Coordinates of all heavy atoms in Angstrom, one line a residue:
M12 N 74.2 -8.3 -18.2 CA 73.9 -7.5 -17.0 C 74.8 -8.1 -15.8 O 74.6 -9.2 -15.5 CB 72.5 -7.5 -16.7 CG 72.2 -6.7 -15.4 SD 70.5 -6.5 -14.8 CE 69.4 -7.2 -15.9
N13 N 75.7 -7.3 -15.3 CA 76.5 -7.7 -14.1 C 75.8 -7.4 -12.8 O 75.5 -6.2 -12.6 CB 77.9 -7.1 -14.2 CG 78.7 -7.6 -15.4 OD1 78.4 -8.7 -15.8 ND2 79.7 -6.8 -15.8
N14 N 75.7 -8.4 -12.0 CA 75.2 -8.1 -10.6 C 76.4 -7.9 -9.7 O 77.3 -8.8 -9.7 CB 74.3 -9.3 -10.1 CG 73.0 -9.4 -10.9 OD1 72.6 -8.4 -11.5 ND2 72.5 -10.6 -11.0
P15 N 76.4 -6.9 -8.9 CA 77.5 -6.7 -8.0 C 77.5 -7.7 -6.9 O 76.4 -8.1 -6.4 CB 77.3 -5.3 -7.4 CG 75.9 -5.0 -7.6 CD 75.5 -5.8 -8.8
I16 N 78.7 -8.2 -6.5 CA 78.8 -9.2 -5.5 C 78.8 -8.4 -4.1 O 79.6 -7.5 -4.0 CB 80.1 -10.0 -5.6 CG1 80.2 -10.7 -6.9 CG2 80.3 -11.0 -4.4 CD1 79.2 -11.8 -7.1
T17 N 78.0 -8.8 -3.2 CA 77.9 -8.2 -1.9 C 78.7 -9.1 -0.9 O 78.5 -10.3 -0.9 CB 76.5 -8.0 -1.4 OG1 75.8 -9.2 -1.4 CG2 75.7 -7.0 -2.3
I18 N 79.6 -8.4 -0.2 CA 80.4 -9.1 0.8 C 79.8 -8.8 2.2 O 79.6 -7.6 2.5 CB 81.9 -8.6 0.8 CG1 82.5 -8.8 -0.6 CG2 82.7 -9.2 1.9 CD1 82.7 -10.3 -1.0
P19 N 79.5 -9.8 3.0 CA 78.9 -9.6 4.3 C 79.8 -8.8 5.2 O 81.1 -8.8 5.1 CB 78.8 -11.0 4.9 CG 78.9 -11.9 3.7 CD 79.7 -11.2 2.7
D20 N 79.2 -8.0 6.0 CA 80.0 -7.1 6.9 C 80.7 -7.9 8.0 O 81.8 -7.6 8.4 CB 79.1 -6.0 7.6 CG 78.6 -5.0 6.6 OD1 79.3 -4.8 5.6 OD2 77.5 -4.5 6.7
S21 N 80.1 -9.0 8.5 CA 80.7 -9.7 9.6 C 81.6 -10.8 9.1 O 81.3 -11.4 8.1 CB 79.6 -10.3 10.5 OG 79.0 -11.4 9.9
D22 N 82.7 -11.0 9.8 CA 83.6 -12.0 9.5 C 83.0 -13.4 9.5 O 83.3 -14.3 8.7 CB 84.9 -12.0 10.4 CG 85.7 -10.8 10.1 OD1 85.6 -10.1 9.1 OD2 86.6 -10.5 11.0
E23 N 82.1 -13.7 10.5 CA 81.5 -15.0 10.6 C 80.7 -15.3 9.3 O 80.7 -16.4 8.8 CB 80.6 -15.1 11.8 CG 81.3 -15.0 13.1 CD 81.7 -13.6 13.5 OE1 81.1 -12.6 13.0 OE2 82.7 -13.4 14.3
E24 N 79.9 -14.3 8.8 CA 79.1 -14.5 7.6 C 80.0 -14.7 6.4 O 79.7 -15.5 5.5 CB 78.1 -13.4 7.4 CG 77.0 -13.2 8.5 CD 76.1 -14.5 8.5 OE1 75.7 -14.9 7.4 OE2 75.8 -14.9 9.6
L25 N 81.1 -14.0 6.3 CA 82.0 -14.1 5.2 C 82.6 -15.5 5.2 O 82.8 -16.1 4.2 CB 83.1 -13.0 5.2 CG 84.1 -13.0 4.1 CD1 83.4 -13.0 2.7 CD2 85.0 -11.9 4.2
L26 N 83.0 -16.0 6.4 CA 83.6 -17.3 6.5 C 82.6 -18.4 6.1 O 83.0 -19.5 5.5 CB 84.1 -17.6 7.9 CG 85.4 -16.9 8.3 CD1 85.7 -17.1 9.7 CD2 86.6 -17.5 7.4
K27 N 81.3 -18.2 6.3 CA 80.3 -19.2 5.8 C 80.3 -19.3 4.3 O 79.9 -20.3 3.8 CB 78.9 -18.8 6.4 CG 78.8 -19.0 7.8 CD 77.4 -18.6 8.3 CE 77.3 -18.7 9.8 NZ 75.9 -18.2 10.3
E28 N 80.7 -18.3 3.6 CA 80.7 -18.3 2.1 C 82.1 -18.8 1.6 O 82.3 -18.8 0.4 CB 80.5 -16.9 1.6 CG 79.1 -16.3 1.9 CD 78.9 -15.0 1.3 OE1 79.9 -14.4 0.7 OE2 77.8 -14.5 1.3
C29 N 83.0 -19.2 2.5 CA 84.3 -19.6 2.0 C 84.6 -21.1 2.4 O 84.1 -21.6 3.3 CB 85.4 -18.7 2.7 SG 85.3 -17.0 2.3
D30 N 85.5 -21.7 1.5 CA 86.2 -22.9 1.9 C 87.4 -22.5 2.6 O 88.2 -21.7 2.1 CB 86.6 -23.7 0.6 CG 85.4 -24.5 0.0 OD1 84.4 -24.8 0.7 OD2 85.5 -24.7 -1.2
V31 N 87.6 -23.1 3.8 CA 88.8 -22.7 4.6 C 89.7 -24.0 4.7 O 89.3 -25.0 5.1 CB 88.4 -22.3 6.1 CG1 89.6 -22.0 6.9 CG2 87.4 -21.2 6.0
N32 N 90.9 -23.8 4.3 CA 91.9 -24.9 4.4 C 93.1 -24.4 5.2 O 93.6 -23.3 5.1 CB 92.5 -25.2 3.0 CG 91.4 -25.8 2.1 OD1 90.6 -26.6 2.5 ND2 91.3 -25.3 0.9
T33 N 93.6 -25.3 6.1 CA 94.8 -25.0 6.8 C 95.9 -25.9 6.3 O 95.7 -27.0 5.9 CB 94.6 -25.3 8.3 OG1 94.2 -26.6 8.5 CG2 93.5 -24.4 8.9
F34 N 97.1 -25.4 6.4 CA 98.3 -26.2 5.9 C 99.5 -25.7 6.7 O 99.5 -24.6 7.3 CB 98.4 -26.1 4.4 CG 98.6 -24.8 3.8 CD1 99.9 -24.3 3.5 CD2 97.5 -23.9 3.6 CE1 100.0 -23.0 3.0 CE2 97.7 -22.7 3.0 CZ 98.9 -22.2 2.7
R35 N 100.6 -26.5 6.6 CA 101.8 -26.1 7.2 C 102.5 -25.1 6.3 O 102.6 -25.2 5.1 CB 102.7 -27.3 7.4 CG 102.2 -28.2 8.4 CD 103.1 -29.4 8.6 NE 102.5 -30.3 9.6 CZ 102.6 -31.6 9.5 NH1 103.3 -32.2 8.6 NH2 101.9 -32.4 10.4
A36 N 102.9 -24.0 6.9 CA 103.6 -22.9 6.2 C 105.0 -23.4 5.8 O 105.6 -24.3 6.4 CB 103.7 -21.7 7.1
S37 N 105.5 -22.8 4.7 CA 106.8 -23.2 4.2 C 107.8 -22.0 4.5 O 107.4 -20.9 4.8 CB 106.8 -23.4 2.7 OG 106.3 -22.2 2.0
G38 N 109.0 -22.3 4.4 CA 110.0 -21.2 4.6 C 110.7 -21.3 6.0 O 110.6 -22.3 6.7
K39 N 111.3 -20.2 6.4 CA 112.0 -20.1 7.7 C 111.0 -20.2 8.8 O 109.8 -19.8 8.7 CB 112.8 -18.8 7.8 CG 113.9 -18.7 6.8 CD 114.6 -17.4 7.0 CE 115.6 -17.2 5.9 NZ 116.2 -15.9 6.1
G40 N 111.4 -20.6 10.0 CA 110.5 -20.6 11.1 C 110.9 -21.7 12.1 O 110.3 -21.7 13.2
G41 N 111.7 -22.6 11.8 CA 112.2 -23.6 12.7 C 111.2 -24.7 13.0 O 110.3 -24.9 12.2
Q42 N 111.3 -25.3 14.1 CA 110.5 -26.5 14.4 C 109.1 -26.2 14.5 O 108.2 -27.0 14.1 CB 111.1 -27.2 15.6 CG 112.5 -27.8 15.5 CD 113.0 -28.3 16.7 OE1 112.5 -28.0 17.8 NE2 114.0 -29.1 16.6
H43 N 108.7 -25.1 15.2 CA 107.3 -24.8 15.4 C 106.5 -24.8 14.1 O 105.4 -25.3 14.0 CB 107.2 -23.5 16.1 CG 105.8 -23.1 16.4 ND1 105.0 -23.6 17.3 CD2 105.0 -22.2 15.7 CE1 103.8 -23.1 17.3 NE2 103.7 -22.2 16.3
L44 N 107.2 -24.2 13.1 CA 106.5 -24.0 11.8 C 106.2 -25.3 11.1 O 105.2 -25.5 10.5 CB 107.4 -23.1 10.9 CG 106.9 -22.6 9.6 CD1 105.8 -21.6 9.9 CD2 107.9 -21.9 8.8
N45 N 107.1 -26.3 11.3 CA 107.0 -27.6 10.6 C 106.0 -28.5 11.3 O 105.6 -29.5 10.8 CB 108.3 -28.3 10.6 CG 109.3 -27.5 9.7 OD1 108.9 -26.8 8.8 ND2 110.6 -27.6 10.1
K46 N 105.5 -28.2 12.6 CA 104.7 -29.1 13.3 C 103.2 -28.7 13.3 O 102.4 -29.5 13.6 CB 105.2 -29.2 14.8 CG 106.5 -29.9 14.9 CD 106.9 -29.9 16.4 CE 108.3 -30.6 16.5 NZ 108.7 -30.5 17.9
T47 N 102.9 -27.4 13.1 CA 101.6 -26.9 13.2 C 101.1 -26.4 11.9 O 101.8 -25.8 11.1 CB 101.5 -25.8 14.3 OG1 102.4 -24.8 14.0 CG2 101.8 -26.4 15.7
E48 N 99.8 -26.5 11.7 CA 99.1 -26.0 10.5 C 98.6 -24.6 10.8 O 97.4 -24.5 11.1 CB 98.0 -27.0 10.0 CG 98.6 -28.3 9.6 CD 97.5 -29.2 9.0 OE1 96.3 -28.9 9.1 OE2 97.9 -30.2 8.4
T49 N 99.4 -23.6 10.6 CA 99.0 -22.3 10.9 C 98.7 -21.5 9.7 O 98.0 -20.4 9.8 CB 100.1 -21.5 11.7 OG1 101.3 -21.5 10.9 CG2 100.3 -22.1 13.1
A50 N 99.1 -21.9 8.5 CA 98.8 -21.2 7.3 C 97.3 -21.4 6.9 O 96.8 -22.5 7.1 CB 99.7 -21.6 6.2
I51 N 96.7 -20.4 6.3 CA 95.3 -20.4 5.9 C 95.1 -20.1 4.5 O 95.8 -19.2 3.9 CB 94.5 -19.4 6.8 CG1 94.6 -19.6 8.3 CG2 93.1 -19.3 6.3 CD1 93.8 -20.8 8.7
R52 N 94.2 -20.8 3.8 CA 93.8 -20.5 2.5 C 92.3 -20.4 2.5 O 91.6 -21.3 2.9 CB 94.2 -21.7 1.5 CG 93.9 -21.4 0.1 CD 94.3 -22.6 -0.9 NE 95.7 -22.8 -0.9 CZ 96.3 -23.9 -0.3 NH1 95.6 -24.9 0.2 NH2 97.6 -24.0 -0.4
L53 N 91.8 -19.3 2.0 CA 90.4 -19.0 1.9 C 90.0 -19.0 0.4 O 90.6 -18.2 -0.3 CB 90.0 -17.7 2.6 CG 90.1 -17.6 4.1 CD1 89.6 -16.2 4.5 CD2 89.2 -18.6 4.8
K54 N 88.9 -19.7 0.1 CA 88.4 -19.5 -1.3 C 86.9 -19.1 -1.1 O 86.1 -19.7 -0.5 CB 88.4 -20.9 -2.0 CG 87.8 -20.8 -3.4 CD 87.8 -22.1 -4.2 CE 87.2 -21.8 -5.5 NZ 87.2 -23.1 -6.3
H55 N 86.7 -17.9 -1.6 CA 85.3 -17.3 -1.6 C 84.5 -18.0 -2.7 O 84.8 -17.8 -3.9 CB 85.4 -15.8 -1.8 CG 84.1 -15.1 -1.6 ND1 83.4 -14.4 -2.5 CD2 83.3 -15.1 -0.5 CE1 82.3 -13.9 -2.1 NE2 82.2 -14.4 -0.8
I56 N 83.6 -18.8 -2.4 CA 82.9 -19.6 -3.3 C 82.1 -18.8 -4.4 O 82.2 -19.1 -5.6 CB 81.9 -20.6 -2.6 CG1 82.8 -21.6 -1.7 CG2 81.1 -21.4 -3.5 CD1 82.0 -22.4 -0.7
P57 N 81.4 -17.8 -4.0 CA 80.6 -17.0 -5.0 C 81.5 -16.4 -6.1 O 81.1 -16.3 -7.3 CB 79.9 -15.9 -4.2 CG 79.7 -16.5 -2.9 CD 81.0 -17.3 -2.6
T58 N 82.7 -15.9 -5.7 CA 83.5 -15.2 -6.7 C 84.7 -16.1 -7.2 O 85.3 -15.8 -8.2 CB 84.1 -14.0 -6.1 OG1 84.9 -14.3 -5.0 CG2 83.0 -13.0 -5.7
G59 N 85.1 -17.1 -6.5 CA 86.2 -18.0 -6.8 C 87.5 -17.3 -6.4 O 88.6 -17.8 -6.8
T60 N 87.5 -16.3 -5.7 CA 88.7 -15.6 -5.3 C 89.4 -16.4 -4.2 O 88.8 -16.9 -3.2 CB 88.4 -14.2 -4.7 OG1 87.7 -13.5 -5.7 CG2 89.6 -13.4 -4.3
V61 N 90.7 -16.6 -4.3 CA 91.5 -17.3 -3.3 C 92.6 -16.4 -2.7 O 93.3 -15.7 -3.4 CB 92.2 -18.6 -4.0 CG1 93.1 -19.3 -3.0 CG2 91.2 -19.5 -4.6
V62 N 92.7 -16.4 -1.4 CA 93.7 -15.7 -0.7 C 94.4 -16.6 0.3 O 93.7 -17.5 0.8 CB 93.2 -14.4 0.0 CG1 92.7 -13.4 -1.0 CG2 92.1 -14.8 1.0
T63 N 95.7 -16.4 0.5 CA 96.4 -17.2 1.5 C 97.2 -16.3 2.4 O 97.6 -15.2 2.0 CB 97.4 -18.2 0.9 OG1 98.3 -17.5 0.1 CG2 96.7 -19.2 0.0
C64 N 97.5 -16.8 3.6 CA 98.3 -16.1 4.5 C 99.1 -17.1 5.4 O 98.5 -18.0 6.0 CB 97.5 -15.2 5.4 SG 98.5 -14.2 6.5
Q65 N 100.4 -16.9 5.5 CA 101.2 -17.7 6.4 C 102.3 -16.8 7.1 O 103.3 -17.2 7.4 CB 101.9 -18.8 5.6 CG 102.8 -18.4 4.4 CD 103.4 -19.5 3.6 OE1 102.8 -20.6 3.6 NE2 104.5 -19.3 3.0
D66 N 101.9 -15.5 7.3 CA 102.8 -14.6 7.9 C 103.0 -14.8 9.4 O 104.1 -14.5 9.9 CB 102.2 -13.1 7.7 CG 102.1 -12.8 6.2 OD1 102.6 -13.5 5.4 OD2 101.4 -11.8 5.9
E67 N 102.0 -15.2 10.1 CA 102.0 -15.3 11.5 C 102.2 -16.7 12.0 O 101.9 -17.6 11.3 CB 100.7 -14.7 12.1 CG 100.4 -13.3 11.7 CD 101.3 -12.2 12.3 OE1 101.9 -12.5 13.4 OE2 101.5 -11.1 11.7
R68 N 102.5 -16.8 13.3 CA 102.6 -18.2 13.9 C 101.3 -18.6 14.4 O 101.1 -19.8 14.8 CB 103.6 -18.2 15.0 CG 105.1 -18.1 14.5 CD 106.1 -18.1 15.6 NE 105.9 -19.3 16.5 CZ 106.7 -19.5 17.5 NH1 107.8 -18.7 17.8 NH2 106.6 -20.6 18.3
S69 N 100.3 -17.7 14.4 CA 99.0 -18.0 14.9 C 98.0 -18.2 13.8 O 97.9 -17.4 12.9 CB 98.5 -16.8 15.8 OG 97.1 -16.9 16.0
Q70 N 97.3 -19.3 13.8 CA 96.3 -19.6 12.8 C 95.2 -18.5 12.8 O 94.7 -18.1 11.8 CB 95.7 -21.0 13.0 CG 94.7 -21.4 11.9 CD 94.1 -22.8 12.2 OE1 93.0 -22.9 12.7 NE2 94.9 -23.8 11.9
Y71 N 94.8 -18.1 14.0 CA 93.7 -17.1 14.2 C 94.2 -15.8 13.5 O 93.4 -15.2 12.7 CB 93.4 -16.8 15.7 CG 92.5 -15.7 15.9 CD1 91.1 -15.9 15.7 CD2 92.9 -14.4 16.3 CE1 90.2 -14.8 15.9 CE2 92.0 -13.4 16.5 CZ 90.7 -13.6 16.3 OH 89.8 -12.6 16.4
R72 N 95.4 -15.3 13.8 CA 95.9 -14.0 13.1 C 96.0 -14.2 11.6 O 95.7 -13.2 10.9 CB 97.2 -13.6 13.8 CG 97.0 -13.1 15.2 CD 98.2 -12.3 15.7 NE 99.5 -13.0 15.6 CZ 100.1 -13.5 16.7 NH1 99.6 -13.4 17.9 NH2 101.2 -14.1 16.5
N73 N 96.4 -15.3 11.2 CA 96.5 -15.6 9.7 C 95.1 -15.5 9.1 O 94.9 -15.0 8.0 CB 97.2 -16.9 9.4 CG 98.7 -16.8 9.5 OD1 99.2 -15.7 9.3 ND2 99.3 -17.9 9.8
K74 N 94.1 -16.1 9.8 CA 92.7 -16.1 9.3 C 92.2 -14.6 9.2 O 91.6 -14.3 8.2 CB 91.8 -16.9 10.2 CG 90.4 -17.1 9.6 CD 89.6 -18.0 10.5 CE 90.1 -19.4 10.5 NZ 89.2 -20.3 11.3
Q75 N 92.5 -13.8 10.2 CA 92.1 -12.4 10.2 C 92.7 -11.7 9.0 O 92.1 -10.9 8.3 CB 92.4 -11.7 11.5 CG 91.7 -12.3 12.7 CD 90.2 -12.4 12.5 OE1 89.6 -11.4 12.1 NE2 89.6 -13.5 12.8
K76 N 94.0 -11.9 8.8 CA 94.7 -11.3 7.6 C 94.1 -11.7 6.3 O 93.9 -10.9 5.4 CB 96.2 -11.6 7.7 CG 97.0 -10.8 8.7 CD 98.4 -11.0 8.5 CE 99.2 -10.0 9.3 NZ 100.7 -10.1 9.0
C77 N 93.7 -13.0 6.2 CA 93.1 -13.5 5.0 C 91.8 -12.8 4.7 O 91.5 -12.5 3.6 CB 92.9 -15.0 5.1 SG 94.2 -16.0 4.4
L78 N 91.0 -12.7 5.8 CA 89.7 -12.0 5.6 C 89.9 -10.6 5.1 O 89.1 -10.1 4.3 CB 88.9 -12.0 6.9 CG 88.4 -13.4 7.3 CD1 87.8 -13.4 8.7 CD2 87.3 -13.9 6.3
T79 N 90.9 -9.9 5.7 CA 91.1 -8.5 5.3 C 91.6 -8.5 3.8 O 91.1 -7.7 3.0 CB 92.3 -7.9 6.1 OG1 91.8 -7.9 7.5 CG2 92.6 -6.5 5.7
R80 N 92.4 -9.4 3.4 CA 92.9 -9.5 2.0 C 91.8 -9.8 1.1 O 91.7 -9.3 -0.1 CB 94.0 -10.5 1.8 CG 95.3 -10.1 2.5 CD 96.3 -11.2 2.4 NE 97.5 -10.8 3.2 CZ 98.6 -11.6 3.3 NH1 98.6 -12.8 2.8 NH2 99.6 -11.2 4.0
L81 N 90.9 -10.7 1.5 CA 89.7 -11.1 0.7 C 88.8 -9.9 0.5 O 88.3 -9.6 -0.7 CB 89.0 -12.2 1.3 CG 87.8 -12.8 0.6 CD1 88.2 -13.3 -0.8 CD2 87.1 -13.9 1.4
R82 N 88.6 -9.1 1.5 CA 87.7 -7.9 1.3 C 88.3 -6.9 0.4 O 87.6 -6.2 -0.4 CB 87.5 -7.2 2.7 CG 86.6 -8.0 3.6 CD 86.4 -7.3 4.9 NE 85.7 -8.2 5.9 CZ 84.4 -8.5 5.9 NH1 83.6 -8.0 5.0 NH2 83.9 -9.3 6.8
V83 N 89.7 -6.8 0.4 CA 90.4 -5.8 -0.5 C 90.2 -6.3 -2.0 O 89.9 -5.5 -2.8 CB 91.9 -5.7 -0.1 CG1 92.6 -5.0 -1.2 CG2 92.0 -5.0 1.2
K84 N 90.3 -7.6 -2.2 CA 90.2 -8.1 -3.6 C 88.8 -8.0 -4.0 O 88.5 -7.8 -5.2 CB 90.7 -9.5 -3.6 CG 92.2 -9.6 -3.7 CD 92.6 -11.1 -4.0 CE 94.1 -11.1 -4.2 NZ 94.5 -12.4 -4.7

């Protein structure tokens, strides 16, 4: 019997169910990219789903994109 996984509606509640890791993004971007940890990796603990984002220069925007990708998966 499979129980459906429920994803919380609020981002704050969803983040409480995740391991959040920050790291330095790789690739083009110059000096700013090499000095700050703006890339985000989220692991949803109940499902084991992992998503990463390093598209933006802002850690906050990357986290928002990660949450969106996690909801899609």
